[in-house]
């Protein structure tokens, strides 16, 4: 059948195409491409019996197929990836980012591993906190309490060769291995601590210790995985005892509140008491110094008076007597009158006496205008035996002597 036959491709029920015809047409096309010519005579009388050049066409086909086979070994490694070349199933080399080539199948093949992709594993829940997985989240603390912990782990690949050849995981990203290591680590860390520490202030520390322990387990098996972060999403008691734990937490908060109030009151009272004690101590020390200094001064003065007394005992005795009487009389409200001599007219300064006995009544006392001056001029001088009796202006008292 000619190639220009309009019924070509419309065989209907005539059966499959003739393979000889297909190869002959393909051979003719390749011959024209390679510049081959037929062996027919003049006028083309022998073209019908001439054999097509099968040998040259087969070589061309083989060459094209070989080129395509060799070209299949080119591959591109991204900047975030590494290529691991396997030769007959065994590790051969690690290729860096860029255009690379390996021996085509079946001799070599390449595995591309993304090193910067962050993968995640959830333990104790799936997708949301409400979809709990009790067999993963429930664990025991050191004080024999059951607690529900939900966490997620983020990790990436640090060694492509170790990740491909040392992992016997069911999943491509080795999530099952990371999950098992995470469950082991979190149960060990929670089992070393008490329930109050896990529920309250120890969440961040538990996450750090869990990350460190997971990394140690993975490095021990040389899995080529690096743990980026461990997130503790939820830590709570089991639902069956959640109400009792809430009451215990509330009681602990009330305890802390009352303790803080007591500390605040102590911080307010103690400084005042310490300041008062320091002030009283300083006043006592000042009083001690005052008494000691006064006693020392009195002793020194007594020694000086004693030396003078020894020189003139009688004069010194009279002087001491008069000083003492003056000191006593100046602090009393009584008036001493000498009846042996003096004038019949006696003036008593009642306003001065009332003012001294009651200082608040000084304004209510009547003022005498000219009488004091007249009485003072008419009053005779005090006798010599009265000493400093007479009129003591400095202390506000008058002493007169009068004879009946």
């Amino acid at each position: 059948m000619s190639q220009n036959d309009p019924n070509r491709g419309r065989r209907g029920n005539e059966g499959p195409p003739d393979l000889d015809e297909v190869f002959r047409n393909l051979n003719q096309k390749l011959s024209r491409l390679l510049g081959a010519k037929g062996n027919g005579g003049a006028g083309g009388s022998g073209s019908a019996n001439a054999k097509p050049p099968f040998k040259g066409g087969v070589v061309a086909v083989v060459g094209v197929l070989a080129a395509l086979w060799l070209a299949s070994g080119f591959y591109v490694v991204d900047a975030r990836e590494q290529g691991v070349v396997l030769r007959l199933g065994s590790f051969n080399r690690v290729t860096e980012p860029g255009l690379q080539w390996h021996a085509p199948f079946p001799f070599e093949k390449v595995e591309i591993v993304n090193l910067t992709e962050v993968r995640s594993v959830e333990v104790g829940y799936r997708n949301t906190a409400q979809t709990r997985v009790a067999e993963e989240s429930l664990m025991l603390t050191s004080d024999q309490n059951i607690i529900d912990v939900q966490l997620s782990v983020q990790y990436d690949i640090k060694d492509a060769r170790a990740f491909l050849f040392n992992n016997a995981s069911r999943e491509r990203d080795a999530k099952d291995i990371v999950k098992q290591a995470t469950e082991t680590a979190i149960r060990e860390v929670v089992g070393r601590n008490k329930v109050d520490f896990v529920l309250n202030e120890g969440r961040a520390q538990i996450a750090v210790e869990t990350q460190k322990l997971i990394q140690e387990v993975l490095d021990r098996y040389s899995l080529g995985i690096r743990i980026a972060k461990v997130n503790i999403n939820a830590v709570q008691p089991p639902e069956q005892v959640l109400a009792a734990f809430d009451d215990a937490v509330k009681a602990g908060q009330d305890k802390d509140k009352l303790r803080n109030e007591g500390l605040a009151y102590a911080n307010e009272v103690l400084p005042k008491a310490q300041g008062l004690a320091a002030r009283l101590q300083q006043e006592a020390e000042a009083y001690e110094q005052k008494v000691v200094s006064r006693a020392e001064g009195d002793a020194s003065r007594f020694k000086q008076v004693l030396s003078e007394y020894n020189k003139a005992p009688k004069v010194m005795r009279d002087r001491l007597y008069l000083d003492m009487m003056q000191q006593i009389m100046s602090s009393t409200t009584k008036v001493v009158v000498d009846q042996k001599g003096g004038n019949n007219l006696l003036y008593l300064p009642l306003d001065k006496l009332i003012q001294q006995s009651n200082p608040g009544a000084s304004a209510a006392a009547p003022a005498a205008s000219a009488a004091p001056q007249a009485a003072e001029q008419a009053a005779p001088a005090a006798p010599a035996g009265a000493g400093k009796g007479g009129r003591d202006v400095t202390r506000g008292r008058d002493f007169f002597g009068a004879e009946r």
Side-chain angles (χ1 to χ4, degrees):
M1 181 182 293
S2 174
Q3 287 184 344
N4 297 325
D5 188 357
N7 294 325
R8 177 181 173 85
R10 302 179 184 178
R11 295 184 179 273
N13 296 326
E14 295 180 1
D18 190 1
L19 295 178
D20 294 338
E21 183 181 356
V22 173
F23 278 109
R24 185 166 49 252
N25 293 334
L26 180 60
N27 201 7
Q28 289 177 1
K29 291 181 181 180
L30 292 176
S31 298
R32 284 196 299 269
L33 291 175
L34 299 176
K37 296 181 180 180
N39 295 327
S45 58
S47 59
N49 298 325
K51 294 182 179 180
F54 284 101
K55 184 178 181 180
V58 171
V59 172
V61 172
V62 172
V64 172
L65 294 177
L68 294 176
W69 180 70
L70 293 175
S72 65
F74 288 99
Y75 63 96
V76 177
V77 180
D78 193 74
R80 300 171 299 176
E81 301 172 341
Q82 274 189 351
V84 180
V85 179
L86 308 179
R87 179 172 296 174
L88 298 178
S90 300
F91 172 79
N92 182 258
R93 64 187 181 275
V94 176
T95 58
E96 297 300 326
L99 180 63
Q100 306 290 340
W101 182 85
H102 67 88
F105 182 83
F107 301 104
E108 292 182 351
K109 71 174 183 177
V110 63
E111 293 283 348
I112 304 298
V113 180
N114 193 331
L115 300 180
T116 60
E117 180 184 359
V118 178
R119 302 160 177 85
S120 179
V121 172
E122 298 170 347
V123 177
Y125 71 103
R126 297 294 182 269
N127 298 326
T128 61
Q130 286 71 24
T131 56
R132 296 173 51 255
V133 182
E135 59 270 15
E136 297 178 3
S137 62
L138 294 179
M139 52 197 69
L140 197 65
T141 60
S142 63
D143 51 357
Q144 304 300 318
N145 284 301
I146 300 176
I147 197 170
D148 190 332
V149 181
Q150 300 177 1
L151 70 156
S152 62
V153 178
Q154 298 176 353
Y155 67 97
D156 55 12
I157 309 303
K158 65 178 180 179
D159 189 347
R161 176 183 176 182
F163 180 74
L164 291 177
F165 287 92
N166 296 338
N167 278 325
S169 59
R170 297 187 301 269
E171 301 181 13
R172 178 177 177 83
D173 292 335
K175 290 186 176 181
D176 53 345
I177 295 180
V178 176
K179 180 180 176 182
Q180 295 173 11
T182 302
E183 289 187 36
T184 302
I186 188 62
R187 291 181 187 279
E188 178 178 347
V189 173
V190 171
R192 292 199 301 254
N193 296 281
K194 295 184 178 181
V195 62
D196 293 336
F197 180 79
V198 178
L199 285 174
N200 300 319
E201 69 273 10
R203 181 175 299 186
Q205 182 177 347
I206 289 175
V208 173
E209 294 180 359
T210 304
Q211 178 179 350
K212 181 179 179 181
L213 189 56
I214 297 173
Q215 190 66 59
E216 291 177 357
V217 172
L218 297 178
D219 292 343
R220 191 180 308 160
Y221 292 99
S222 301
L223 300 181
I225 298 175
R226 176 176 53 243
I227 303 300
K229 189 176 182 182
V230 175
N231 299 316
I232 305 294
N233 298 329
V235 179
Q236 61 184 6
E239 295 181 354
Q240 295 80 357
V241 294
L242 184 59
F245 267 88
D246 291 340
D247 293 340
V249 171
K250 184 177 179 181
Q253 293 176 353
D254 294 340
K255 173 185 175 182
D256 294 338
K257 178 182 177 182
L258 295 176
R259 181 175 60 184
N260 294 332
E261 291 178 354
L263 292 175
Y265 178 74
N267 293 332
E268 180 182 358
V269 173
L270 286 179
K272 293 182 179 179
Q274 292 173 355
L276 179 61
R279 184 172 65 84
L280 293 177
Q281 183 177 2
Q282 292 177 357
E283 291 179 353
E285 293 176 355
Y287 178 74
E288 178 185 4
Q289 294 178 359
K290 176 182 177 182
V291 171
V292 171
S293 299
R294 178 178 296 177
E296 292 176 351
D298 292 343
S300 177
R301 186 171 61 85
F302 179 77
K303 292 179 179 180
Q304 296 176 2
V305 171
L306 179 60
S307 61
E308 297 296 330
Y309 178 80
N310 292 330
K311 295 178 181 179
K314 184 177 182 304
V315 175
M316 184 58 63
R317 188 164 45 251
D318 294 340
R319 181 179 175 182
L320 291 176
Y321 174 77
L322 294 176
D323 290 342
M324 180 58 65
M325 292 303 296
Q326 181 180 1
Q327 183 178 358
I328 293 174
M329 294 300 179
S330 62
S331 59
T332 184
T333 57
K334 294 182 180 181
V335 178
V336 180
V337 179
D338 187 6
Q339 299 178 356
K340 293 182 179 180
N343 196 357
N344 294 329
L345 180 60
L346 179 63
Y347 168 71
L348 296 178
L350 297 178
D351 56 344
K352 297 293 184 179
L353 297 176
I354 294 174
Q355 181 179 359
Q356 184 176 3
S357 61
N358 189 8
S362 59
S369 58
Q373 296 179 359
E376 183 179 358
Q377 293 176 0
K388 292 185 179 180
R391 180 179 177 84
D392 191 354
V393 179
T394 58
R395 298 186 181 276
R397 285 176 174 78
D398 294 333
F399 297 95
F400 298 95
E403 183 179 0
R404 293 184 178 179

